[in-house]
Amino acid sequence: MSKEKTLSIIKPNSTLDNNIGNIISVFEKNDLRIAAAKLTKLSKEKAEGFYIEHKERPFFGELVNFMTSGPVLIMVLEGDNAVVKNRDIMGATNPANAAEGTIRKLFAKSVGENSVHGSDSLAAADREIAYFFDKNEVLNRF
Ligand code: CMP
């Protein structure tokens, strides 16, 4: 198994619902560790840049509005196979399709207000981590 880093965002519906700790506890129970963390409110420009690949999608405006509507906790998670593991732990994008015990099944409200973002590949993880963190802000345990 390879040690990896991935980007995770706890989205505004879950920070506002006071579920930050509950969600982090799911990561920790699955042996993912926090290597960096930032609690912030995204600007419109920062959110648009992050989701630029979805710019032409009909839900882009709604997505940016939601992601700037409240605080987000942006984290680098690390562990064995962190990218795929995090996606498994999050569950399907639409909580209606998410498996029992996944974060989205437990905490998400809708496909838009779906509680967490996680990088979908190692290349995306590298790009997304660099989008939010300087190298010296990320712990390197391995
Ligand atoms: P995320 O993993 O952050 O990546 C892109 C996001 O777009 C996704 O999670 C969803 O929250 C959001 N999204 C995808 N499809 C829709 C949709 N049909 N309506 C609103 N938001 C969507």
Side-chain angles (χ1 to χ4, degrees), residues 11 50-51 54 57 59 62-63 66-67 87 90 93 104 110-114 116-118:
K11 298 187 180 187
F50 182 69
Y51 282 118
H54 298 300
R57 302 284 194 93
F59 57 81
E62 186 188 324
L63 175 60
F66 168 59
M67 290 301 288
R87 290 190 67 83
M90 290 193 301
T93 303
R104 284 168 172 157
S110 64
V111 66
E113 300 198 19
N114 66 353
V116 278
H117 166 84

Side-chain angles (χ1 to χ4, degrees), residues 8-79:
S8 169
I9 304 177
I10 299 183
K11 298 187 180 187
N13 66 296
S14 282
T15 61
L16 294 169
D17 285 348
N18 222 10
N19 277 323
I20 290 176
N22 288 327
I23 291 174
I24 288 177
S25 120
V26 180
F27 293 139
E28 291 183 340
K29 281 184 189 129
N30 285 277
D31 295 322
L32 291 175
R33 288 171 182 270
I34 300 172
K38 213 173 255 186
L39 182 68
T40 187
K41 199 156 177 236
L42 294 177
S43 67
K44 185 167 181 280
E45 292 68 29
K46 196 77 180 168
E48 284 177 346
F50 182 69
Y51 282 118
I52 196 73
E53 67 187 290
H54 298 300
K55 191 158 180 47
E56 303 308 324
R57 302 284 194 93
F59 57 81
F60 183 70
E62 186 188 324
L63 175 60
V64 170
N65 277 343
F66 168 59
M67 290 301 288
T68 56
S69 67
V72 290
L73 183 68
I74 308 169
M75 291 175 287
V76 177
L77 301 178
E78 65 181 11

